[in-house]
Amino acid sequence: MQWTEVIVAIVSSFALTIMAMPIVIGFFRTKQLGQTTRDEGPKWHEVKTGTPTMGGVVFLVAAIISTIWVALWQDVFSLGIGLSLFILVLYGLLGFLDDFIKVFKKRNLGLTSKQKLIGQILGGVLFFAAYLYDGLPTELNLYFLGTIDIGWFYGLFIIFWLVGFSNAVNLTDGLDGLVAGTASIAYGAYAIIAWNQQQTDILIVCLTVIGGLIGFFFFNKKPAKIFMGDVGSLALGGGLAAVSILLHQEWSLLLIGLVFVMETASVMIQVTSFKLRGKRVFKMSPIHHHFEMSGWSEWRVVVTFWAIGLVAAILCLLIVL
């Protein structure tokens, strides 16, 4: 894949997002539909109530259209692209239903956790079935320790990875521009890995997602004109897990997605500590709210987390490459 094709993949998705986003924002404002800030969130986030959401629909559709177009143009449409798009679409659909119920049905909690989990697990099962059918390896890459074939247990790993990271990115999506930046960095790291491994199909997926996210960021930076919603965050997290699996760099996501791991760990620590000790470790979880409660500005938290994600991604690339 030449630099021309790389630019086309990013620019096409970026352009589609930039053109469509104002239309979506205008629709939500005309219909007076927007996100409702949850009561347990920081009080100063109440000013965000009414902000349009579900912006993830736009950059996902843009990325999917661009991926299919560039893949057909380059004649590299593969199972890898099919599986990546399958997860983006399925997890995006779960998020869309969740957002739709919240926004259009005026029910603040959307889908139940059990409903989303069932859908996420089903996606993992179907992903693994197609993966096995194509004869792809069931080996875990342990880097310096080599690889280990875990057979059918790889299917359980896939389900855990997809569900875990889709929810991790979803937890992270709480500040303007936070996930748009951290996810762009993560997909960028995997684009470099895919380029190095000459897996053009996965490279195209990563590039089109990045293009869509860059376009989305112009509308999501503080003060956000629109939020991505669960439709965007669940799809992005599931997509990252899928890409790491298809590149056989599974464990790299713990480092490339360090911010998402931190956010999830903070929630787990907070809940466990409160149940066992009756005390909270953080002022509020996920951890980005802890720093807000400590007096950091929203922009300072976002930029700091971007920096952590970038340093972690560079470190991982040094290890992998």
Side-chain angles (χ1 to χ4, degrees), residues 100-222:
F100 184 85
I101 293 171
K102 292 176 184 175
V103 175
F104 290 89
K105 300 297 182 181
K106 304 299 182 181
R107 280 168 44 193
N108 195 35
L109 294 179
L111 292 176
T112 66
S113 298
K114 183 179 293 186
Q115 289 171 330
K116 283 189 282 190
L117 181 61
I118 291 173
Q120 290 169 317
I121 291 175
L122 177 61
V125 170
L126 294 175
F127 184 101
F128 183 54
Y131 187 94
L132 280 183
Y133 181 79
D134 200 56
L136 294 174
T138 54
E139 297 177 336
L140 275 178
N141 183 357
L142 302 178
Y143 300 110
F144 304 114
L145 299 178
T147 60
I148 178 173
D149 192 336
I150 58 175
W152 286 94
F153 286 103
Y154 194 71
L156 296 177
F157 173 82
I158 284 177
I159 293 172
F160 173 75
W161 221 232
L162 291 171
V163 173
F165 275 97
S166 62
N167 289 321
V169 175
N170 184 240
L171 286 173
T172 306
D173 185 31
L175 300 178
D176 297 353
L178 178 56
V179 167
T182 51
S184 294
I185 291 169
Y187 276 97
Y190 281 119
I192 293 173
I193 293 174
W195 179 291
N196 183 69
Q197 295 183 181
Q198 298 185 344
Q199 288 191 233
T200 305
D201 51 352
I202 306 303
L203 172 60
I204 291 172
V205 173
C206 292
L207 293 175
T208 57
V209 171
I210 292 170
L213 283 172
I214 294 173
F216 172 72
F217 177 73
F218 282 95
F219 303 91
N220 183 240
K221 60 182 174 60
K222 186 175 178 61

Side-chain angles (χ1 to χ4, degrees), residues 52-83:
T53 186
M54 300 175 73
V57 171
V58 179
F59 67 72
L60 278 180
V61 171
I64 291 167
I65 291 174
S66 298
T67 295
I68 294 173
W69 173 52
V70 176
L72 292 176
W73 171 36
Q74 292 295 304
D75 194 25
V76 292
F77 203 95
S78 65
L79 178 69
I81 287 180
L83 286 175

Side-chain angles (χ1 to χ4, degrees), residues 298-319:
E298 183 172 353
W299 189 238
R300 181 184 177 187
V301 177
V302 169
V303 172
T304 300
F305 278 39
W306 286 354
I308 293 172
L310 181 60
V311 171
I314 292 173
L315 178 60
C316 186
L317 288 174
L318 292 175
I319 294 172

